[in-house]
């Protein structure tokens, strides 16, 4: 399986990708076929017919079963071959591996490790999906040719906004702010706070529309307190609260875009990056939502992705640590995440992994 944490939930697909048309996707080096049965149940199984190894994702869903496109063998949702030409001995011997799935937060979460450990409570919480006063405003899936930890690095070190996204989602202020890192158990927080700054452009539109009286004075000068609070859980589950409040109000009357970023390795050198975001509902119309989604696509697909792919190409296949990277204060979140993940993988490989184990609280503060 390579250098991946197996006993963990990964996002394998968007819930609305799963229909009666099979979807083939490689996750952690394993080919997986997803589909939805006629009863609406999501299914994930090894995407490899045991007969002559054709991908079942090229086949057809029939009720609860999937049929191989080559010689028509059928498999039920438990991976058992149901075809009449197959005898009981072969049926038992060639049952396909299926993977535990949970549908939550508009996504399908898949457990690639020991099914007995697949506890749904281990999926980190994303409250914004059900908070009043906000709307889910956009989502996407970015495929990139780079190791998944490079994408996680990118998300945990948002100083790159001032450079990579200077023309789209940044006002260039992030690196003037204060940076804080702290850790609760295996959860790493990597936060920026920028007081008294001009609101980033996408927030200016929302501020202008806000009817909240706390925003009235700010609507003229757009000077705000701005934060970007990122939370990471192993292996690739990130929550970002990025928002603004009238300057000096201690985050009173916030307008924010709570987001989820879910990073799933395809192989050691390629990644499926799922992202979804919400917005405070200030009565923005569909045109504004569409425009913002286009900007986000540019940011992730045309700004982050080429940077990460170029980074991977420059690094080649040599391990990150073996390249002796320079470490800056604002890398602290990303470095902590790497250490936590390395530890969890080491423990898993040595059989000591308790997937719910928490470490003592520890703190580290970077300079602003
Ligand atoms: S390869 Fe699938 S049925 Fe023959
Ligand atoms: Fe970015």
């Amino acid at each position: 399986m390579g250098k991946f944490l197996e006993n963990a939930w990964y996002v394998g697909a968007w819930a609305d990708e799963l229909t009666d048309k099979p979807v083939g996707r490689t996750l952690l080096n394993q080919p997986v076929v997803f589909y939805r049965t006629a009863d609406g149940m999501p299914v994930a199984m090894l995407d490899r017919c045991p007969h002559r190894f054709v991908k079942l994702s090229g086949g057809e869903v029939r009720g609860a079963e999937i049929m191989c496109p080559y010689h028509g063998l059928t498999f039920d949702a438990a991976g058992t071959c149901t075809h009449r030409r197959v005898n009981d001995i072969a049926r038992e011997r060639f049952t396909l591996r299926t993977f535990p799935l949970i549908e939550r937060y508009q996504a399908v979460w898949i457990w690639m490790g020991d099914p007995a450990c697949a506890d749904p409570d281990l999926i980190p919480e994303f409250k914004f999906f059900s908070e009043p006063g906000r709307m889910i405003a956009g989502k996407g899936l970015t495929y990139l040719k780079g190791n998944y930890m490079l994408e996680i690095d990118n998300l945990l070190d948002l100083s790159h906004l001032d450079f990579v996204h200077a023309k789209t989602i940044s006002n260039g202020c992030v690196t003037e702010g204060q940076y804080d890192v702290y850790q609760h158990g295996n959860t790493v927080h990597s936060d920026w706070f920028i007081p008294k700054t001009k609101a980033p452009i996408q927030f200016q539109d929302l501020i202008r529309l806000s009817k909240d009286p706390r925003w009235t004075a700010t609507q003229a000068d757009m000077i705000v307190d701005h934060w970007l609070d990122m939370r990471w859980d192993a292996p690739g589950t990130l929550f970002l609260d990025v928002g603004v409040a009238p300057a000096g109000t201690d985050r009173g009357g916030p307008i924010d875009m709570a987001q989820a970023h879910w990073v799933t390795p395809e192989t050691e050198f390629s990644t499926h990056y799922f992202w979804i975001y919400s917005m405070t509902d200030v009565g923005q119309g569909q045109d504004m939502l569409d425009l913002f989604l286009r900007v986000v696509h540019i940011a992730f697909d045309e700004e982050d992705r080429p940077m990460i792919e170029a980074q991977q190409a420059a690094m080649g296949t040599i391990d990150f640590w073996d390249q002796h990277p320079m470490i800056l204060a604002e890398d602290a979140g990303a470095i902590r995440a790497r250490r936590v993940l390395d530890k969890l993988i080491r423990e898993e490989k040595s059989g000591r992994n308790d997937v719910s184990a928490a470490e003592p609280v520890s703190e580290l503060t970077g300079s602003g």
Side-chain angles (χ1 to χ4, degrees):
M1 286 269 292
K3 211 180 165 191
F4 305 120
L5 191 66
E6 294 175 40
N7 283 319
W9 291 107
Y10 292 89
V11 170
W14 291 117
D16 60 12
E17 284 186 284
L18 268 55
T19 66
D20 61 355
K21 303 273 173 292
V23 174
R25 188 161 284 156
T26 295
L27 308 171
L28 285 61
N29 279 330
Q30 299 218 46
V32 176
V33 54
F34 291 94
Y35 68 92
R36 198 178 287 280
T37 67
D39 292 343
M41 186 177 76
V43 177
M45 70 174 72
L46 195 67
D47 192 10
R48 189 172 194 262
C49 180
H51 179 226
R52 289 295 180 274
F53 321 120
V54 161
K55 281 185 185 289
L56 294 173
S57 52
E60 246 177 64
V61 174
R62 298 187 161 190
E65 302 186 339
I66 188 161
M67 186 179 80
C68 177
Y70 199 176
H71 310 96
L73 289 190
T74 44
F75 300 86
D76 67 16
T80 307
C81 186
T82 52
H83 203 279
R84 61 183 164 72
R85 301 201 308 268
V86 174
N87 66 33
D88 286 348
I89 296 168
R91 204 184 305 286
E92 198 165 321
R93 177 159 171 222
F94 291 101
T95 296
L96 285 173
R97 183 176 178 199
T98 57
F99 301 90
L101 296 180
I102 298 286
E103 271 191 271
R104 193 175 289 175
Y105 307 133
Q106 299 194 18
V108 178
W109 300 74
I110 183 167
W111 186 273
M112 303 294 289
D114 178 358
C117 302
D119 175 358
D121 288 347
L122 294 173
I123 297 175
E125 194 171 24
F126 289 85
K127 291 193 182 129
F128 72 84
F129 281 87
S130 54
E131 273 170 356
R134 65 171 62 252
M135 59 174 86
I136 301 298
K139 70 175 197 262
L141 170 53
T142 299
Y143 174 78
L144 57 102
K145 293 197 179 95
N147 180 274
Y148 70 114
M149 286 309 296
L150 300 182
E151 179 60 53
I152 292 169
D153 253 354
N154 169 283
L155 292 163
L156 284 170
D157 179 5
L158 292 179
S159 68
H160 81 270
L161 262 67
D162 288 4
F163 308 95
V164 177
H165 304 306
K167 295 197 177 82
T168 48
I169 54 173
S170 174
N171 64 352
C173 70
V174 174
T175 46
E176 287 159 23
Q178 300 150 13
Y179 178 63
D180 276 310
V181 171
Y182 58 99
Q183 191 174 337
H184 288 143
N186 288 329
T187 302
V188 174
H189 296 261
S190 179
D191 299 350
W192 286 94
F193 181 68
I194 309 102
K196 288 202 185 71
T197 187
K198 188 91 172 172
I201 196 86
Q202 67 273 17
F203 283 109
Q204 291 185 22
D205 291 334
L206 302 181
I207 291 167
R208 241 175 247 119
L209 288 170
S210 176
K211 307 275 186 301
D212 186 328
R214 285 172 291 192
W215 280 103
T216 310
T218 311
Q219 279 161 338
D221 63 11
M222 293 291 165
I223 300 301
V224 297
D225 291 343
H226 178 33
W227 61 88
L228 305 100
D229 294 346
M230 189 71 88
R231 179 195 79 196
W232 171 87
D233 285 284
T237 308
L238 296 108
F239 164 67
L240 174 64
D241 178 28
V242 52
V244 291
T249 60
D250 197 18
R251 299 196 180 195
I255 289 177
D256 76 2
M257 296 175 191
Q259 312 176 5
H261 300 260
W262 298 317
V263 182
T264 303
E266 178 189 54
T267 67
E268 204 173 330
F269 300 110
S270 54
T271 297
H272 306 290
Y273 168 32
F274 298 82
W275 44 267
I276 184 165
Y277 58 88
S278 66
M279 282 187 193
T280 305
D281 187 352
V282 291
Q284 62 271 55
Q286 194 58 45
D287 285 354
M288 190 181 284
L289 295 174
D290 290 346
L291 178 68
F292 189 71
L293 182 58
R294 280 203 296 280
V295 172
V296 173
H297 266 295
I298 292 170
F300 295 165
D301 296 345
E302 297 175 25
E303 294 176 342
D304 283 318
R305 175 168 58 183
M307 184 61 69
I308 291 169
E309 291 186 342
Q311 181 188 14
Q312 182 68 69
M315 290 172 68
T317 57
I318 301 169
D319 179 74
F320 173 80
W321 292 114
D322 291 344
Q323 313 223 11
H324 307 294
M326 176 194 280
I327 308 293
L328 305 178
E330 61 260 32
D331 297 330
I335 295 298
R336 273 178 179 251
R338 280 182 182 275
R339 290 197 175 127
V340 169
L341 190 57
D342 284 349
K343 178 197 69 152
L344 291 174
I345 291 172
R346 255 193 334 269
E347 288 174 357
E348 183 173 273
K349 302 301 174 212
S350 67
R352 283 188 293 121
N353 183 230
D354 171 0
V355 289
S356 60
E359 284 203 324
V361 175
S362 53
E363 295 206 3
L364 178 134
T365 304
S367 59

